């Protein structure tokens, strides 16, 4: 994607910037001590959607994110750093529609107007490939170097809007990982994805599935996993998410996902099973994946809209690593925006004193 020198005229606090640099340096120091992970840990990219970060190039099928997040240390450039080996390209994909139906944009945090976040929302089915049978907004990390994305971990924050209490039917997919993508006509297509199902009384039920695509174009289950029965995704608050993929067979493969909010961490899935097509003699890693995704059937989108709502997710503090696992992951590289209000006010007071300005 072409880099454009444009900016959102706003700076995140010096405190967050300095904290991000300090944590990044601390993480580097910890990494130097060694890790049992199979490859050398490497931070590929991180961003809190600040600095000159912006969504640009909006069209019917796609958009892009460009700019540099100066609130954190490098690697923080959406073009130079993210679209660099082993990642091929990044883009936001829609596959049809316009801004009245779906939109990816950078907006103010609903809980903190001094913070910027990425917003995905779906109001109407926009996917023209199926004649409007579903809606799609997804972050694509595609054309990745073969053999290099065999073990990776990423983190982000997500907030589900209150309109998710209207989600009572249909399906929504939140992420997707392809070890051989079918649309590239590669042999042995295999995917893992997280599906969000509606439960009684509006509770949200994440389910994980691994599938192959057979010769007739039908998906066949390889394995599935259920999130804890009593878990419920909260609405209107920030949640820390951590996702880990390791290519391997039934003994060495692993897929892990966890959510943390209100100081409580819940492991949604920790599957030790095959993470590529069982018949693939030479698996070469995840060459295409969607770490952030809002993909829903028309039934879900229409039902929420008919109740006066839209399906909306907010994202912040994205970071992508290779060569680390959940047990040996370095500290977060971006400061949290989930502190209680009195803590955020204290941080702003410290910032103001450091800058010699009044609140």
């Amino acid at each position: 994607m072409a880099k454009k020198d444009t900016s959102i005229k706003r700076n995140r606090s010096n405190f967050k910037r300095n904290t991000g640099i300090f944590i990044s340096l601390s993480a580097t120091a910890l990494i130097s001590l060694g890790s049992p992970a199979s490859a050398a840990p490497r931070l590929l990219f991180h961003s809190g959607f600040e600095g000159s970060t912006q969504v640009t190039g909006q069209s019917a099928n796609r958009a892009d994110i460009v700019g540099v997040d100066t609130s954190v240390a490098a690697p923080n450039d959406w073009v130079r750093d993210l679209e660099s080996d082993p990642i091929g390209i990044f883009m936001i994909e829609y596959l049809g529609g316009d801004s009245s139906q779906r939109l990816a944009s950078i907006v103010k945090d609903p809980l903190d107007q001094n913070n910027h976040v990425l917003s995905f929302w779906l109001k109407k089915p926009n996917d023209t490939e199926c004649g409007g049978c579903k809606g799609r907004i997804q972050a694509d990390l595609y054309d990745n170097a073969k053999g290099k994305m065999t073990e990776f971990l990423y983190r982000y924050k997500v907030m589900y809007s209150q309109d998710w209490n209207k989600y009572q039917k249909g399906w929504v997919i939140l992420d997707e990982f392809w070890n051989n993508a079918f649309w590239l006509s590669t042999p042995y297509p295999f995917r893992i994805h997280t599906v969000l199902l509606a439960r009684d009384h509006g509770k949200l039920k994440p389910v994980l599935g691994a599938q192959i695509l057979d010769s007739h174009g039908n998906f066949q289950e390889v394995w599935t996993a259920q999130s804890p029965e009593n878990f419920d995704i909260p609405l209107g608050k920030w949640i820390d998410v951590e996702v880990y993929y390791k290519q391997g067979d039934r003994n060495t493969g692993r897929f892990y996902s966890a959510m943390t909010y209100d100081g409580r961490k819940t492991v949604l899935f920790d599957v030790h099973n095959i993470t590529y097509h069982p018949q693939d003699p030479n698996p070469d890693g995840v060459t295409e994946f969607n770490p952030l995704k809002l993909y829903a059937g028309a039934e879900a989108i229409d039902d929420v809209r008919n109740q006066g709502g839209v399906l909306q997710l907010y994202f912040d503090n994205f970071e992508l690593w290779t060569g680390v696992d959940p047990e040996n992951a370095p500290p977060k590289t971006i400061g949290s925006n989930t502190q209680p209000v009195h803590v955020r006010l204290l941080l702003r007071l410290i910032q103001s004193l450091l800058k010699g300005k009044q609140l």
Side-chain angles (χ1 to χ4, degrees), residues 143-155:
D143 197 25
N144 304 322
K146 292 184 177 181
K148 291 190 176 182
M149 294 298 287
T150 58
E151 182 182 32
F152 59 90
L153 177 147
Y154 68 94
R155 300 175 176 132

Side-chain angles (χ1 to χ4, degrees), residues 26-163:
S26 299
T28 303
L30 287 173
I31 291 168
S32 68
L33 297 177
S35 168
S38 59
R42 178 187 170 196
L43 176 61
L44 299 183
F45 175 76
H46 61 170
S47 175
F49 303 99
E50 300 294 345
S52 61
T53 306
Q54 64 174 308
V55 178
T56 187
Q58 296 274 10
S59 69
N61 290 324
R62 64 189 60 181
D64 196 8
I65 299 181
V66 299
V68 179
D69 184 351
T70 53
S71 73
V72 296
N76 57 353
D77 188 311
W78 280 87
V79 177
R80 184 187 62 196
D81 295 321
L82 183 55
E83 294 183 328
S84 179
D85 184 67
I87 301 300
I89 62 170
F90 169 85
M91 64 180 173
I92 300 293
E93 189 170 9
Y94 298 126
L95 289 183
D98 57 40
S99 60
S100 70
Q101 298 173 294
R102 81 297 176 270
L103 189 66
S105 60
I106 293 177
V107 301
K108 291 183 178 181
D109 181 345
L111 302 184
D112 182 355
Q113 294 294 291
N114 292 314
N115 185 51
H116 284 109
V117 299
L118 177 66
S119 165
F120 286 0
W121 61 259
L122 285 174
K123 187 175 183 180
K124 295 181 180 179
N126 66 285
D127 193 330
T128 56
E129 285 193 349
C130 68
C133 69
K134 51 195 175 184
R136 180 196 308 263
I137 307 175
Q138 63 190 38
D140 294 350
L141 290 174
Y142 283 1
D143 197 25
N144 304 322
K146 292 184 177 181
K148 291 190 176 182
M149 294 298 287
T150 58
E151 182 182 32
F152 59 90
L153 177 147
Y154 68 94
R155 300 175 176 132
Y156 63 96
K157 306 185 83 67
V158 65
M159 179 163 57
Y160 290 73
S161 72
Q162 294 292 340
D163 282 345

Side-chain angles (χ1 to χ4, degrees), residues 1-2 8 14 40 66 77 100 127 146 166 175 198 203 226 232 239 242-243 259 261 287 289 291 302 316 324 327 346:
M1 303 291 141
I8 300 173
N14 284 339
V66 299
D77 188 311
S100 70
D127 193 330
K146 292 184 177 181
K166 300 177 175 66
D175 54 38
K203 291 184 178 179
Q226 302 289 324
D232 184 23
I239 306 166
E242 186 172 69
V243 179
M259 285 186 171
Y261 65 92
T287 52
F289 71 105
D302 292 341
D316 201 9
V324 299
E327 290 73 30
L346 177 59

Side-chain angles (χ1 to χ4, degrees), residues 124-310:
K124 295 181 180 179
N126 66 285
D127 193 330
T128 56
E129 285 193 349
C130 68
C133 69
K134 51 195 175 184
R136 180 196 308 263
I137 307 175
Q138 63 190 38
D140 294 350
L141 290 174
Y142 283 1
D143 197 25
N144 304 322
K146 292 184 177 181
K148 291 190 176 182
M149 294 298 287
T150 58
E151 182 182 32
F152 59 90
L153 177 147
Y154 68 94
R155 300 175 176 132
Y156 63 96
K157 306 185 83 67
V158 65
M159 179 163 57
Y160 290 73
S161 72
Q162 294 292 340
D163 282 345
W164 285 89
N165 62 15
K166 300 177 175 66
Y167 173 43
Q168 301 293 330
K169 59 180 69 173
W171 55 267
V172 174
I173 295 178
L174 300 175
D175 54 38
E176 196 160 49
F177 310 83
W178 285 91
N179 194 313
N180 296 334
F182 78 91
W183 63 88
L184 299 178
S185 299
T186 52
Y188 311 113
F190 174 92
R191 74 175 180 182
I192 297 173
H193 63 187
T194 304
V195 180
L196 190 63
L197 302 178
R199 295 196 292 180
D200 291 341
H201 309 295
K203 291 184 178 179
L204 302 178
K205 174 70 173 176
V207 177
L208 187 69
Q211 301 172 325
I212 61 172
L213 193 67
D214 65 23
S215 59
H216 301 290
N218 300 314
F219 284 106
Q220 304 293 336
E221 297 288 348
V222 177
W223 51 258
T224 60
Q226 302 289 324
S227 55
E229 181 60 31
N230 295 327
F231 179 75
D232 184 23
I233 295 176
L235 306 183
K237 64 173 57 179
W238 285 107
I239 306 166
D240 287 291
V241 181
E242 186 172 69
V243 179
Y244 170 75
Y245 169 93
K246 183 178 182 181
Q247 177 178 282
D249 58 23
R250 286 179 171 83
N251 297 315
T252 60
R254 186 182 181 192
F255 190 94
Y256 170 98
S257 177
M259 285 186 171
T260 301
Y261 65 92
D262 292 341
R264 300 189 302 271
K265 181 175 183 178
T266 300
V267 176
L268 300 180
F269 314 105
D270 193 1
V271 178
H272 294 256
N273 207 329
I274 192 165
T275 54
Y276 59 87
H277 195 295
Q279 297 176 355
D280 190 347
N282 297 297
D284 52 11
V286 173
T287 52
E288 279 77 29
F289 71 105
N290 314 118
L292 310 176
K293 190 178 183 98
L294 180 55
Y295 179 42
E299 183 181 32
I301 300 169
D302 292 341
D303 185 51
V304 172
R305 185 188 67 255
N306 290 338
Q307 298 178 66
V310 295

